[in-house]
Amino acid sequence: MSISIPYYDFGGEGPLAHFAHANGYPPPCYRRMMTPLVDYYHVLGVCHRPLWPDSRPAEVTSWRIFAEDMMRFFDEAGLKDLIGIGHSLGAVTTMYAAVQRPELFRALVLIEPVFLPPAVLQFVPENLTPDQLEHFPLVRAAMRRKNGWGSRHAAFARFRRKAVFERWSDAALWDYVNYGLRQDGTGQFVLEFAPEWEARIYALPPRDVWQVIPQVKQPTLAIRAAETDTLQPAAWQLWQTLQPQAQFVEIPHTGHLLTMEDPWAVGRVVLKFLQEIGDG
């Protein structure tokens, strides 16, 4: 079997499941969420383009390219009829692939997908100019992100003080330090997910999701963090209107990074859904 796209094997035995990761977080950062699942499933996770050698942000003009990469990975590996799980960027790209190639997935788990409300999308320019990029908050924050530490312990100490990680356990944060950083040629520890890549993805929010959602035919679990800053209440309600046959669950006391903030709870909710629909 020849596969040109890099991927991470979470392990496990049983039916195959695929996990698609978020912007900024390589697949192994989700190991703890997978703990309940790998007792019943063999979980693989494709690496998005920012984690490929010699890839360039300018290659990406929409998030659909990540869905195309995912489908190519499945074709190269001879895989179909999988359980598709995705977080944030990964949830959107999993949905795209499931609609375009429904034979690839028999069930979907979409965790905190980036479904911006139509009222918000109408104010987001389709092609952000360099001047506009400077004023787009997520893009600006990504481009200003510190990217270089003398040791993994120094990186951990900095991350531990940041508000975005305050709900993460030390163990989950160490997973990010160990798997989200690499040592470069100068000996510095830098982000696997380069800030330029993270900014590029933020600059291209998916605009067509509300036309795509009603086309999803697979049994679907929709997961929202109760204290999210991404999947807003208006979008959550519209999603339920457009896909009423899906199961909708909120995880309390969590934000957009719920997969690391409370990985066990998320993993158990996913497993419960799969057992309820008779999978595995």
Side-chain angles (χ1 to χ4, degrees), residues 13 63 80 106 128 155 185-186 222 232 237 258 270:
E13 296 182 358
W63 287 17
K80 61 181 179 179
R106 65 176 178 273
L128 293 170
T186 70
Q232 298 178 16
Q237 290 300 320
L258 69 170
V270 174

Side-chain angles (χ1 to χ4, degrees), residues 64-198:
R64 282 188 175 270
I65 195 170
F66 301 117
E68 292 166 8
D69 294 337
M70 188 188 305
M71 292 184 286
R72 179 157 66 91
F73 170 79
F74 295 145
D75 288 342
E76 290 179 354
L79 302 177
K80 61 181 179 179
D81 196 36
L82 299 99
I83 297 154
I85 308 169
H87 174 223
S88 192
L89 163 70
V92 175
T93 57
T94 297
M95 179 186 70
Y96 281 155
V99 167
Q100 186 171 337
R101 298 274 305 279
E103 78 279 6
L104 294 176
F105 301 101
R106 65 176 178 273
L108 303 179
V109 177
L110 306 181
I111 305 167
E112 278 283 309
V114 183
F115 293 165
L116 300 183
V120 172
L121 283 172
Q122 68 177 333
F123 292 107
V124 179
E126 290 202 34
N127 296 294
L128 293 170
T129 67
D131 288 342
Q132 289 170 324
L133 285 172
E134 285 297 316
H135 300 287
F136 200 59
L138 289 174
V139 175
R140 185 171 66 246
M143 292 303 295
R144 294 179 178 178
R145 199 175 312 289
K146 178 178 171 61
N147 190 20
W149 297 269
S151 69
R152 294 191 189 275
H153 281 88
F156 179 90
R158 179 179 174 85
F159 295 152
R160 187 71 287 175
R161 297 191 298 269
K162 293 180 74 66
V164 68
F165 299 119
E166 64 183 358
R167 287 172 165 161
W168 294 34
S169 68
D170 282 355
L173 188 56
W174 271 114
D175 277 348
Y176 180 57
V177 171
N178 288 326
Y179 299 108
L181 303 180
R182 61 177 175 80
Q183 195 167 19
D184 69 8
T186 70
Q188 285 278 296
F189 289 88
V190 298
L191 294 166
E192 283 275 10
F193 228 101
E196 296 80 8
W197 261 112
E198 190 177 352

Side-chain angles (χ1 to χ4, degrees), residues 44-63:
L44 305 175
V46 72
C47 296
H48 295 317
R49 284 183 182 232
L51 302 175
W52 298 8
D54 304 319
S55 60
R56 297 177 297 107
E59 299 169 350
V60 176
T61 57
S62 85
W63 287 17

Side-chain angles (χ1 to χ4, degrees), residues 165-268:
F165 299 119
E166 64 183 358
R167 287 172 165 161
W168 294 34
S169 68
D170 282 355
L173 188 56
W174 271 114
D175 277 348
Y176 180 57
V177 171
N178 288 326
Y179 299 108
L181 303 180
R182 61 177 175 80
Q183 195 167 19
D184 69 8
T186 70
Q188 285 278 296
F189 289 88
V190 298
L191 294 166
E192 283 275 10
F193 228 101
E196 296 80 8
W197 261 112
E198 190 177 352
R200 180 66 175 176
I201 291 169
Y202 283 139
L204 298 166
R207 310 177 66 87
D208 60 350
V209 293
W210 302 111
Q211 291 75 48
V212 177
I213 290 170
Q215 301 176 52
V216 176
K217 303 305 180 186
Q218 296 88 345
T220 301
L221 171 63
I223 299 180
R224 179 180 186 264
E227 298 174 26
T228 180
D229 60 359
T230 301
L231 188 54
Q232 298 178 16
W236 184 238
Q237 290 300 320
L238 180 55
W239 186 3
Q240 293 179 58
T241 300
L242 294 177
Q243 197 183 0
Q245 71 276 20
Q247 184 178 137
F248 292 84
V249 175
E250 286 192 330
I251 306 293
H253 313 300
T254 58
H256 183 62
L257 298 177
L258 69 170
T259 46
M260 289 79 161
E261 293 173 7
D262 199 345
W264 179 257
V266 176
R268 291 297 301 175

